[in-house]
């Protein structure tokens, strides 16, 4: 009844769980402040919302026309903050906001700018620019903005780059084969549902844009973090379903071939299903949701949890009650489960939520599975169950195992070669970049790099991060940092930067700029003096005088004033509120001398230069250090548990020798295959120790009873086949976490059983009469 109630409650909880597929769950929870910035950029940064769109397969003229029709359809959709394809359309609100607030937004506003000398210098510069390629734009703005504040802000918004090539008013790749578009989603980077909805809208709009007129040759190409996030979720869900089904079918086939009974097959899966349900429910209760990777890991639970039923069924002799077999194997089974739990417990201590989920799921699942095997399964097994009869096949297996003892020297030599190969390995032993954790395929990464190259997108590798208790203090600090950076731009140490104060200056700065604006009579006198001898028509600058009059009494710009513009998204990414206050960030471009930048901002308390690429490397180092520490902790806990339980150094050495050999050879196989080891491989090796110890303990138990060895070997072979099947299918996964966990466990558990058979098999076979009794 306890079991039935537990399963029913777990099933109810599981049916209501939210399944998460955000890969940042496998980033640390307790990172350094700089690494928190990096993780935040992964989750919700500006880049996490950008989709790069390309239209290819048709001529430049046709792709440009499709680009215009596609952009027109997308700009009316609320899922998009901005749709940029090189056209001037779509930025009316941005330009209107900048234009009406130019004297509060421009960082060049001071009293000297509006003296007769300052105005005359500006007018002379206007005359020069009227003759340049920008003359049309200057001429249009000149009457209301002779000091060029709007042009200055437009140049700042452009980031100092030339942008992509253009054809017929839209962006085009340098080779002319693609029309390009940049789309900013409203959904945060962690909102995969929102990203999927937006991507579906892009595809739907493209289909409509190519239907009128019909253009079947045109192809739509999408890339960028939102695209990768949606693809990763689809792959994770697909793998979780596909691999669990595949593992279940393989295990079911093996059990059906051995037991030739559908009822026994179904009973063997009772502990598995029970453990999986309760494990997922436990994760949901603790973490308020479950990651798709955790569900995919259910395939491994099938591979190990089914072993318990296999041991019970296979080691039950004909005419022997199941309860008697359970009483015999329970001490070994209990110790084996405890070693597995010790190994997986190390994952609970991980600062990576994804690994903690995997650890909790597996520990809970295995504990429930073994308890169901111990107390529920004997009740469900029919009274007429006759067990598995000792067969000639079992005896042949036992004979081969005994003969395998002759290979001990070969095992020792193999382990020596593996150890030497690892010691002298000069290749890239560890995967040393975060791309190794990415679910994005190399082909998709190359496509993304190609489109970014065509877009001439800058590589924003540096940020300046400032933390303050309130928004106003954060903006004021950002302005101080801007003042320190400005000289570096002129000296070439820095190409440029973007700051939140370009979209929302501090209230102090806005009031100072308003105070710098002269009154109407003073401005009119200064303008009349500045115009002396210059070829401008009388009364041309009346709009400028009127605009200045309005700016002097205009209300201060608030954050809400940017709503409805694409500038609000930029501001939200550079100025964020966190639990402990506000964070202002300045995105740097073309940092030539990072040390000089760091020194220039040293006077501003709390301002820190963050090298995103270096922090990525440090974040990976956190992975590796923690992974090695936890793996050693888990292995040490298993060793202590075995030592306390076995209470014999020779027995401990015999049990651990196959484990050590299997781990060394597995690592060597992975490295010889050109596989740089990841943190997931490391945890996979820990699982080899946790699972393989079960095999060694059963061999140890049979030391005093060689007559039962044929049956025990048969159960271990079947259990190992199920484990290899469960973990082996993970090696076929397209998701790095599952692949890198499955591959070493499939190899290592097989090697553990093989080495345990060679090292721990009895010296002689039982007599036929003794074997028949078992």
């Amino acid at each position: 009844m306890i079991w039935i109630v537990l399963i029913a409650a777990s099933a109810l909880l599981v049916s209501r769980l939210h399944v998460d597929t955000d890969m940042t769950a496998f980033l640390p929870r307790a990172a350094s402040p700089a690494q928190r910035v990096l993780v935040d950029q992964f989750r919700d940064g500006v880049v996490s919302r950008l989709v790069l769109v390309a239209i290819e397969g048709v001529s430049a003229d046709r792709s440009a026309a499709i680009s215009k029709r596609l952009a027109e359809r997308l700009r009316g959709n609320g899922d998009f903050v901005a749709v940029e394809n090189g056209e001037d359309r779509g930025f009316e609100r941005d330009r209107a906001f900048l234009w009406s607030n130019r004297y509060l937004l421009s960082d060049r506003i001071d009293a000297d700018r509006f003296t007769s000398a300052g105005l005359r210098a500006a007018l002379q510069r206007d005359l020069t620019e009227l003759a340049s390629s920008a003359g049309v734009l200057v001429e249009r703005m000149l009457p209301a903005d002779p000091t060029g504040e709007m042009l200055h802000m437009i140049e700042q918004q452009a980031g100092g780059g030339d942008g992509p090539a253009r054809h017929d008013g839209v962006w085009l790749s340098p080779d002319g084969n693609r029309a390009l578009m940049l789309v900013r989603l409203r959904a945060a980077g962690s909102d995969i549902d929102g990203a999927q909805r937006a991507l579906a809208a892009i595809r739907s709009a493209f289909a409509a844009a190519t239907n009128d007129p019909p253009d079947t040759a045109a192809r739509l190409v999408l890339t960028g973090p939102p695209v990768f996030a949606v693809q990763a979720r689809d792959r994770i869900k697909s793998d979780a379903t596909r691999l669990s089904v595949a593992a279940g079918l393989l295990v079911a086939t093996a059990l059906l071939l051995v037991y030739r009974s559908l009822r026994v097959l179904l009973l063997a899966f009772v502990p598995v299903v029970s453990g999986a349900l309760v494990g997922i429910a436990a994760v949901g209760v603790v973490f308020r949701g479950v990651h798709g990777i955790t569900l995919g890991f259910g395939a491994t639970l099938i591979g190990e949890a089914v072993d318990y039923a296999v041991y019970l069924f296979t080691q039950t002799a004909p005419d022997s009650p199941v309860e008697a077999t359970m009483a015999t194997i329970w001490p070994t089974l209990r110790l084996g489960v405890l070693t597995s739990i010790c190994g997986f417990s190390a994952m609970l201590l991980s600062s990576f939520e994804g690994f903690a989920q995997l650890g909790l799921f597996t520990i809970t699942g295995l504990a429930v599975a073994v308890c169901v095997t111990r107390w529920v399964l004997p009740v469900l097994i029919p009274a007429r169950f006759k067990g598995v009869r000792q067969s000639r096949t079992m005896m042949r297996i036992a004979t081969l195992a005994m003969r395998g003892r002759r290979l001990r020297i070969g095992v020792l030599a193999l382990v020596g070669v593996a150890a030497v190969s690892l010691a002298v390995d000069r290749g890239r032993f560890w995967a040393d970049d975060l791309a190794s954790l990415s679910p994005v395929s190399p082909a998709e990464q190359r496509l993304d790099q190609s489109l970014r190259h065509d877009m001439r997108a800058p590589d924003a590798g540096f940020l300046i991060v400032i933390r303050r208790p309130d928004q106003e203090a954060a903006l004021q600090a950002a302005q101080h940092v801007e003042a320190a950076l400005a000289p570096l731009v002129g000296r070439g140490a820095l190409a440029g930067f973007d700051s939140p104060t370009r979209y929302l200056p501090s209230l102090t700065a806005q009031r100072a700029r308003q105070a710098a604006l002269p009154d109407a009579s003073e401005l009119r006198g200064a303008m009349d003096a500045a115009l002396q001898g210059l070829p401008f028509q009388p009364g041309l600058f009346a709009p400028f005088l009127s605009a200045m009059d309005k700016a002097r009494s205009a209300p201060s710009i608030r954050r809400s004033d940017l709503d409805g513009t694409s500038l609000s998204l930029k501001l939200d990414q550079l100025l964020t509120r966190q639990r402990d206050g506000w964070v202002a960030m300045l995105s740097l471009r073309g940092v030539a001398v990072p040390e000089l930048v760091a020194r220039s901002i040293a006077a501003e308390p709390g301002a820190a230069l963050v090298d995103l690429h270096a922090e990525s490397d440090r974040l990976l180092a956190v992975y590796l250090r923690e992974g090695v520490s936890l793996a050693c902790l888990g292995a040490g806990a298993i060793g202590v548990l075995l030592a306390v339980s076995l209470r014999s150094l020779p027995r401990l050495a015999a049990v651990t020798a196959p484990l050590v050999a299997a781990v060394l050879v597995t690592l060597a196989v992975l490295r010889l295959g050109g596989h740089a080891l990841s943190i997931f491989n490391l945890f996979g090796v820990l699982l080899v120790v946790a699972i393989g110890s079960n095999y060694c303990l059963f061999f140890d138990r049979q030391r005093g009873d060689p007559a039962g060895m044929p049956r025990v070997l048969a159960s271990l072979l079947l259990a190992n086949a199920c484990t290899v099947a469960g973990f082996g299918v993970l090696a076929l996964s397209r998701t790095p976490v599952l692949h890198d966990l499955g591959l070493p466990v499939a190899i290592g558990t097989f090697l553990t059983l093989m080495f345990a058979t060679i090292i721990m098999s009895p010296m002689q076979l039982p007599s036929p009469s003794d074997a028949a009794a078992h």
Side-chain angles (χ1 to χ4, degrees):
M1 289 303 299
I2 294 173
W3 170 64
I4 291 173
V5 171
L6 183 63
I7 294 302
S10 298
L12 182 63
L13 282 171
V14 169
S15 67
R16 299 179 177 180
L17 276 182
H18 168 70
V19 178
D20 182 25
T21 53
D22 182 7
M23 289 303 294
T24 56
F26 288 88
L27 296 177
R29 291 171 291 186
S32 67
Q35 289 164 3
R36 283 204 301 271
V37 171
L38 179 64
V39 173
D40 290 343
Q41 291 298 306
F42 285 153
R43 287 195 175 107
D44 296 315
V46 176
V47 176
S48 72
R49 303 183 187 212
L50 294 181
V51 176
L52 301 181
V53 181
I55 301 166
E56 58 185 27
V58 293
S59 66
D61 290 337
R62 292 166 69 186
S63 64
I66 295 172
S67 174
K68 293 177 180 179
R69 295 197 295 270
L70 175 60
E72 183 66 26
R73 285 176 166 83
L74 295 181
R75 284 174 183 142
N77 191 315
D79 288 329
F80 307 105
V81 173
V83 178
E84 304 173 37
N85 67 339
E87 294 181 288
D88 290 334
R89 299 179 60 189
F91 297 97
E92 291 83 1
R93 290 182 178 179
D94 290 8
R95 286 194 293 267
F97 173 79
L98 293 174
W99 179 256
S100 60
N101 295 286
R102 59 191 181 277
Y103 295 112
L104 295 182
L105 290 170
S106 175
D107 58 2
R108 302 191 304 184
I109 300 300
D110 57 33
D112 292 340
R113 194 163 184 79
F114 302 103
T115 62
S116 58
L119 290 172
R120 186 172 183 85
L123 293 172
Q124 289 174 332
R125 185 171 57 253
D126 291 336
L127 288 173
T128 302
E129 292 181 348
L130 283 170
S132 69
S133 59
V136 175
L137 185 60
V138 174
E139 183 179 5
R140 189 164 61 239
M141 297 181 181
L142 181 62
D145 187 23
T147 58
E149 309 308 330
M150 186 66 177
L151 281 176
H152 170 64
M153 289 187 294
I154 290 175
E155 289 174 357
Q156 286 183 325
Q157 297 293 321
D162 297 329
R166 291 176 186 261
H167 176 78
D168 195 17
V170 303
W171 290 331
L172 206 68
S173 62
D175 58 11
N177 293 329
R178 293 170 174 164
L180 304 173
M181 186 179 299
L182 187 64
V183 178
R184 289 185 176 91
L185 306 191
R186 188 173 300 280
S190 55
D191 182 5
I192 302 179
D193 288 333
Q196 186 173 39
R197 184 174 59 250
L199 295 178
I202 294 175
R203 294 187 177 99
S204 176
F206 176 76
T210 52
N211 279 339
D212 185 23
D215 203 334
T216 57
R219 295 189 303 273
L220 178 69
V221 178
L222 302 176
T223 187
V227 180
F228 299 150
V230 172
Q231 290 174 342
R233 181 172 71 174
D234 292 343
R235 287 171 184 167
I236 290 171
K237 286 185 174 180
S238 173
D239 283 356
T241 302
R242 177 174 57 89
L243 299 179
S244 295
V245 169
L249 289 176
L250 287 173
V251 171
T253 301
L255 296 179
L256 202 56
L257 288 173
V258 172
Y259 299 125
R260 300 180 182 180
S261 168
L262 183 60
R263 174 175 289 185
V264 173
L265 172 64
L266 294 177
L267 288 174
F269 274 90
V270 168
V272 177
V273 175
S274 302
L277 269 177
V278 179
I280 294 172
V283 171
V285 170
V286 174
F287 294 96
R288 300 182 181 179
V290 60
H291 200 280
I293 294 292
T294 306
L295 297 180
F297 205 62
T300 69
L301 191 66
I302 294 172
E304 184 175 4
V306 77
D307 292 356
Y308 308 144
V310 167
Y311 297 143
L312 177 61
F313 294 153
T314 308
Q315 296 188 38
T316 299
D319 304 322
S320 176
V322 172
E323 290 79 1
T325 304
M326 179 57 72
T328 302
I329 69 172
W330 176 243
T332 305
L333 199 61
R334 179 180 57 203
L335 180 57
V337 171
L338 287 176
T339 60
S340 295
I341 290 175
C342 281
F344 285 103
S345 293
M347 299 174 75
L348 285 178
L349 304 177
S350 175
S351 63
F352 308 94
E353 183 178 299
F355 282 123
Q357 282 197 23
L358 291 179
L360 178 61
F361 167 73
T362 308
I363 289 172
T364 306
L366 292 181
V368 170
V370 77
C371 290
V372 169
T373 303
R374 172 66 180 86
W375 286 288
V376 177
L377 209 54
V379 179
L380 300 179
I381 293 176
R384 62 180 181 276
F385 179 74
K386 300 299 183 182
V388 178
R389 188 172 300 280
Q390 183 100 302
S391 66
R392 293 181 179 178
T393 302
M394 290 184 184
M395 292 301 295
R396 292 193 188 105
I397 292 171
T399 301
L400 289 174
M402 186 193 71
R403 292 174 180 173
R405 291 176 60 87
R406 304 170 185 172
L407 301 176
R408 286 184 170 186
I409 299 299
V411 171
L412 183 61
L414 179 62
V415 172
V417 170
V420 170
S421 70
L422 292 173
V424 301
D425 191 341
R426 293 294 180 266
R428 190 167 65 103
F429 195 84
W430 295 107
D432 55 4
D433 57 73
L434 286 179
S436 65
L437 310 179
S438 172
V440 183
S441 70
E444 290 165 341
Q445 292 183 34
R446 287 193 296 271
L447 174 62
D448 184 70
Q449 291 169 358
S450 174
L451 288 188
R452 290 184 184 279
H453 177 267
D454 290 347
M455 290 288 296
R456 299 181 184 177
D459 182 15
F462 288 87
L463 289 175
I464 293 176
V465 180
I466 310 165
R467 299 181 185 276
R468 290 293 185 273
D470 57 69
Q471 175 180 286
E472 176 67 10
L475 290 171
Q476 289 183 24
Q479 284 166 185
H480 297 158
V481 170
E482 284 184 66
L485 293 178
L488 300 183
V489 177
R491 293 162 53 185
L494 180 66
F497 57 87
D498 197 10
S499 169
T501 61
R502 290 181 176 172
Y503 316 104
L504 181 64
S506 68
L507 294 175
T508 302
Q510 293 184 56
R511 294 184 186 119
R513 289 167 187 173
Q514 281 183 311
L517 302 179
D519 60 33
S521 60
E522 183 181 352
L523 179 63
R524 186 174 293 106
M527 177 59 76
D528 290 340
L531 287 170
Q532 294 296 320
L534 296 179
F536 291 106
Q537 296 178 358
L540 175 65
F541 296 105
F544 168 59
L545 300 177
S546 176
M548 290 284 285
D549 188 49
K550 292 180 180 178
R552 277 191 298 272
S553 58
S556 298
I557 303 170
R558 302 287 178 176
R559 193 182 182 96
S560 58
D561 294 334
L562 281 80
D563 293 345
T565 70
S566 65
L567 304 177
S568 64
L569 177 62
K570 294 182 180 180
L571 175 63
D572 289 342
Q573 305 315 308
L574 297 175
L575 183 67
T576 60
R577 186 172 189 174
Q578 298 183 347
R579 287 180 297 178
D580 55 350
W582 285 77
V583 176
M585 291 177 285
L586 285 79
S587 176
L588 310 184
R589 301 187 306 274
V591 178
V593 189
E595 297 79 9
L596 192 57
V597 175
R599 285 199 300 270
S600 69
I601 65 171
E604 182 62 32
L609 177 65
V610 177
D611 182 345
L612 296 180
H613 298 300
E615 289 305 323
S616 296
D617 294 338
R618 293 189 186 101
L619 190 60
L620 188 59
V622 171
Y623 265 97
L624 297 178
R625 283 197 303 271
E626 180 174 295
V628 171
S629 300
L630 293 180
C632 292
L633 181 63
I638 292 173
V640 170
L641 178 63
L642 291 176
V644 171
S645 302
L646 300 176
R647 300 179 182 179
S648 167
L649 189 59
R651 290 178 66 190
L652 179 63
V655 168
T656 57
L659 299 175
V660 174
V663 167
L664 288 174
V665 175
T666 298
L667 291 176
V669 168
L670 293 176
R671 290 296 300 126
L672 289 174
H675 190 87
L677 301 184
S678 72
I679 181 69
F680 310 126
N681 293 140
L682 196 58
F683 278 114
V685 170
L686 179 60
L687 302 186
V688 171
V689 177
I691 297 170
S693 60
N694 296 342
Y695 307 151
C696 300
L697 288 171
F698 270 105
F699 272 104
D700 178 73
R701 193 200 77 183
Q702 293 302 126
R703 286 183 311 111
D705 183 21
M709 183 56 71
R711 189 176 297 280
V712 170
L713 269 175
S715 69
L716 293 179
L717 281 174
L718 182 56
N720 182 253
C722 294
T723 298
V724 171
F727 282 93
V729 294
L730 292 187
L732 305 177
S733 174
R734 298 164 294 177
T735 306
V737 182
L738 297 178
H739 174 272
D740 286 358
L741 274 170
L743 185 61
V745 179
I747 296 172
T749 52
F750 173 76
L751 290 176
T752 302
L753 180 59
M754 185 176 70
F755 293 156
T757 303
I758 294 171
I759 296 171
M760 303 182 70
S761 290
M763 297 292 294
Q764 60 183 12
L765 283 174
S767 65
S769 59
D770 290 338
H774 285 73

